[in-house]
Amino acid sequence: MLEAAGLDAEEERVYRFLLGVREADTGVIAAQLGWDAARVESVLAALHGKGLVGRAAEPPAGGPERYVPMAPDAALRPLLLRGHEALEWARRGVEQLAEEYRAGGRRHDAEQLVEVITGASVIRQRLRQMAYGAGEMRWLCKARPVALAAAENDEEWELLARGVRYRTIYERELLEGPGMVDNVARSIRAGEQARAAGTLPVRLVIADSSMAICPLVYESGDVLDGGDGGAGAGAGAGAGDGDGTERAPGPADRVGEPTAAVIHSSSLLDALIALFESQWAAATPLHVTDSGELADFEDGQNPAVHLADDERYLLSLIVAGVADKAIASQLWVSQRTVQRRIQALMQRAGALTRTQLVWQVAQRGWLTNG
């Protein structure tokens, strides 16, 4: 039972006996277990070395040495930790060997870099496998062509609750579909980070930094019209309307089954990740208002009326390249206050750097509208 903690069956038996009697000498233990004294002494020595038994403080005068059990949690915890560390090292070693195996295969077989899969159900199953094994999902949700229209989107809510990070960029045309605004708002409330862009170059999903799925170009007549039925995770198995309800297949749906490319770790995957990050930096963050509505996506502008006069003035100084110290002097506040206000504006704009903040200010017309 305790082999994983470093105890063999004989050591566990002797230790359990001592737990019951609290104190015993070698002869008593040998008699009760039916062992010879040498065998008992060997096991006691092993248990003493592991900190599970100790010698009684005051053995009887002229009598044999007696042994007492020690607290198991204090003694076994270091053994368990060492065992856990050994298992972790072994796991990492297996992962490294597996990666070397895959890398070797990719060097000799290009098909292992890009895998082509066909069929809505096959694509849907692969997407589910990617999502349930990932820590972060990144989506480019293009309005047309829709090769992966969603009929259901249950897994995203579960995965968001489990801590999986979702970052999704929606093409604005997609947000105009029936029911899409409510679905995206629901995703954001569940924890999805969402942004909107005027146009997107391709429909794409990336799991961590290890795999991506991208629909391939369709032949004439193979394009499926429609929209996603939910947020980023909801690439469904069949054709669907914008509100997420499944519709009956039509003649256009039967012209050709959807085909997608599965891209594994490679320079091509690195390029797709860079594409997503560049689109993310340029897209407009979406948020849900206090009234529960989706905001900050209409016409790609965040209305300037949301900015107070002092915020607009601060942004004008930032855009002009004025240093924080000079801004503080002009606003009659401390430099730390200036930095705190700039951080708040960056958060509202979804910018990670001041350069991105300036870019977002220009894109949204914060200094030209209102």
Side-chain angles (χ1 to χ4, degrees):
M1 180 179 178
L2 296 177
E3 287 86 353
L7 293 183
D8 60 28
E10 290 187 346
E11 292 169 347
E12 181 178 352
R13 188 176 178 188
V14 172
Y15 181 69
R16 287 183 180 277
F17 175 77
L18 285 174
L19 288 177
V21 300
R22 304 305 296 176
E23 185 176 326
D25 58 42
T26 302
V28 172
I29 298 173
Q32 290 294 325
L33 301 183
W35 295 356
D36 59 64
R39 183 180 179 186
V40 173
E41 289 175 355
S42 175
V43 173
L44 286 172
L47 290 172
H48 185 269
K50 294 174 181 178
L52 285 168
V53 301
R55 295 179 175 86
E58 297 181 1
E65 195 164 38
R66 302 175 67 83
Y67 293 88
V68 295
M70 308 300 290
D73 51 350
L76 292 179
R77 186 176 292 113
L79 295 175
L80 290 172
L81 289 175
R82 285 196 293 271
H84 177 75
E85 291 173 355
L87 287 174
E88 180 64 19
W89 279 107
R91 184 189 65 79
R92 292 180 182 177
V94 171
E95 289 181 351
Q96 183 178 358
L97 290 174
E99 179 57 32
E100 291 177 5
Y101 172 81
R102 289 190 293 266
R106 289 193 293 265
R107 284 193 296 269
H108 293 88
D109 185 0
E111 291 184 357
Q112 295 191 31
L113 293 176
V114 179
E115 175 187 358
V116 177
I117 56 177
T118 303
S121 61
V122 175
I123 296 173
R124 179 63 174 167
Q125 181 62 27
R126 182 60 68 88
L127 286 167
R128 284 182 178 273
Q129 293 173 352
M130 285 176 56
Y132 280 103
E136 178 184 26
M137 297 292 288
R138 288 175 276 194
W139 283 80
L140 293 181
C141 289
K142 187 173 177 62
R144 302 170 186 272
V146 174
L148 305 173
E152 57 187 34
N153 186 28
D154 295 336
E155 68 264 24
E156 182 180 6
W157 323 125
E158 175 189 348
L159 293 172
L160 282 168
R162 286 165 48 180
V164 177
R165 184 186 184 196
Y166 274 81
R167 289 196 291 155
T168 307
I169 307 175
Y170 297 93
E171 202 168 66
R172 299 191 199 286
E173 182 182 349
L174 187 62
L175 293 173
E176 296 171 359
M180 276 302 302
V181 169
D182 291 339
N183 286 335
V184 174
R186 178 187 175 191
S187 296
I188 294 174
R189 285 194 295 268
E192 178 184 280
Q193 299 177 47
R195 297 191 177 191
T199 59
L200 292 173
V202 68
R203 178 172 286 246
L204 175 69
V205 56
I206 303 171
D208 295 326
S209 297
S210 59
M211 185 183 301
I213 292 184
C214 178
L216 297 177
V217 177
Y218 281 78
E219 297 179 0
S220 177
D222 289 349
V223 174
L224 307 182
D225 292 334
D228 278 54
D241 293 319
D243 60 356
T245 58
E246 189 171 358
R247 58 178 171 81
D253 300 324
R254 294 191 291 268
V255 174
E257 287 192 282
T259 302
V262 181
I263 299 95
H264 298 275
S265 296
S266 60
S267 57
L268 176 57
L269 178 60
D270 294 340
L272 292 175
I273 293 173
L275 170 65
F276 176 90
E277 295 300 337
S278 65
Q279 294 291 324
W280 180 264
T284 303
L286 304 178
H287 72 272
V288 179
T289 65
D290 294 337
S291 60
E293 298 179 349
L294 192 64
D296 286 5
F297 71 86
E298 294 183 359
D299 301 325
Q301 304 292 339
N302 190 16
V305 294
H306 292 314
L307 291 173
D309 290 340
D310 59 340
E311 291 176 322
R312 191 176 291 108
Y313 181 52
L314 173 59
L315 282 174
S316 69
L317 296 175
I318 296 171
V319 171
V322 180
D324 289 358
K325 185 176 182 180
I327 294 176
S329 177
Q330 292 195 40
L331 297 181
W332 294 89
V333 296
S334 68
Q335 190 170 338
R336 180 172 296 181
T337 298
V338 169
Q339 293 170 347
R340 186 173 64 251
R341 291 181 180 178
I342 293 174
Q343 286 294 325
L345 289 169
M346 289 170 60
Q347 185 174 6
R348 288 177 62 180
L352 299 178
T353 65
R354 293 197 185 192
T355 301
Q356 291 181 7
L357 174 60
V358 171
W359 193 92
Q360 291 287 354
V361 168
Q363 283 292 106
R364 304 181 192 195
W366 279 2
L367 296 179
T368 56
N369 296 338

